[in-house]
Amino acid sequence: MNIIFDLDGTLIDSKFRLYKLFRTLAPDLQISFDDYWMLKQNKTTNEMILTSKLGYGKKEVTNFVNNWMELVEMPEYLNLDTNFRGMKKKLTLLGQQAKLCICTARQYRQPAIEQLRRLELLPFFRQVLITEQKCSKESLIKQFVQGYSEKDWILGDTGKDIEVGKKLKLRTCAVTSGFQSRETLLEYSPDLVLDTAVEFSL
């Protein structure tokens, strides 16, 4: 059996990194961590926040997005990410029952590998699949996860992860520890919804 994990918001807590980067790139907006994530989990994009609260025009939004993509996977920001409490213990258990894999839409492979090593998560996974913005998660799983079947699971914190699982006829588990609320995730009809991946068990 295979269990395929998304990375940000699923395996690791990256909320502070993304909030910190937003505040760095939009310093004029005084917004708390909780308020920022309340907006985000209610389907409010960064672009919508900038337009509605700071009056950004198209050029300013484009500059923000370009700077975001350039900085979001830089080491000084990735170092702000942390493990969810109990994650290593959970992965130890699941690794005895199934083959574990990561499939993430990160832009760059090496920083992701280095981060997983720093967080002591890398040894738990047989494969680390990264789209690098060149292909889809679906195509990566089809190509590299050997013998995947409808008995396998995919865990993620966005509706897109659930859609990928359904296309591949995998069982789907949504977690609310990341970027979308329970209400939003339920719209995609996952097989299971949990607060964190630490609660997942076979």
Side-chain angles (χ1 to χ4, degrees):
M1 175 184 290
N2 297 291
I3 305 175
I4 303 165
F5 292 84
D6 175 48
L7 182 53
D8 297 307
T10 303
L11 274 178
I12 62 174
D13 188 350
S14 53
K15 283 186 174 180
F16 183 71
R17 165 169 53 109
L18 302 183
Y19 169 72
K20 176 76 171 178
L21 180 54
F22 182 89
R23 292 286 288 113
T24 298
L25 295 178
D28 293 338
L29 180 59
Q30 300 299 315
I31 186 171
S32 71
F33 176 89
D34 289 339
D35 287 344
Y36 176 73
W37 281 106
M38 185 180 298
L39 289 170
K40 294 287 286 180
Q41 291 190 324
N42 283 305
K43 302 183 183 181
T44 308
T45 65
N46 283 341
E47 292 87 341
M48 292 165 66
I49 296 172
L50 295 169
T51 300
S52 64
K53 296 189 176 296
L54 289 177
Y56 273 26
K58 185 176 181 179
K59 183 177 180 180
E60 292 167 306
V61 168
T62 298
N63 287 338
F64 176 96
V65 171
N66 290 340
N67 289 331
W68 178 281
M69 297 303 291
E70 181 179 344
L71 295 173
V72 69
E73 294 177 34
M74 294 293 287
E76 57 265 37
Y77 285 101
L78 291 178
N79 286 339
L80 299 174
D81 291 348
T82 59
N83 287 326
F84 287 112
R85 183 179 229 174
M87 183 60 74
K88 288 193 284 186
K89 183 177 180 180
K90 173 57 67 172
L91 292 175
T92 298
L93 176 61
L94 291 175
Q96 296 168 354
Q97 302 172 297
K99 299 174 184 177
L100 308 185
C101 171
I102 292 171
C103 189
T104 174
R106 290 272 187 97
Q107 300 175 88
Y108 307 112
R109 179 173 182 80
Q110 196 55 39
I113 295 297
E114 291 173 0
Q115 182 186 44
L116 289 166
R117 187 176 289 117
R118 175 181 66 82
L119 294 173
E120 301 180 347
L121 296 180
L122 189 60
F124 294 107
F125 296 94
R126 303 210 179 182
Q127 294 173 301
V128 179
L129 307 177
I130 299 176
T131 69
E132 298 182 87
Q133 308 290 303
K134 298 175 182 177
C135 57
S136 66
K137 287 187 175 184
E138 182 183 354
S139 64
L140 280 179
I141 293 169
K142 282 182 177 180
Q143 185 174 357
F144 293 107
V145 178
Q146 296 183 350
Y148 73 87
S149 74
E150 60 186 15
K151 294 181 180 179
D152 295 343
W153 283 90
I154 184 168
L155 283 75
D157 64 311
T158 68
K160 186 165 184 59
D161 294 315
I162 305 309
E163 289 177 337
V164 169
K166 289 183 177 295
K167 288 178 183 177
L168 297 173
K169 301 190 185 324
L170 307 176
R171 289 184 283 185
T172 56
C173 174
V175 293
T176 63
S177 52
F179 307 146
Q180 292 185 334
S181 67
R182 178 178 294 268
E183 291 72 24
T184 297
L185 291 167
L186 284 171
E187 295 175 7
Y188 296 87
S189 301
D191 295 303
L192 185 64
V193 181
L194 300 172
D195 289 336
T196 74
V198 175
E199 298 177 6
F200 180 79
S201 58
L202 293 174

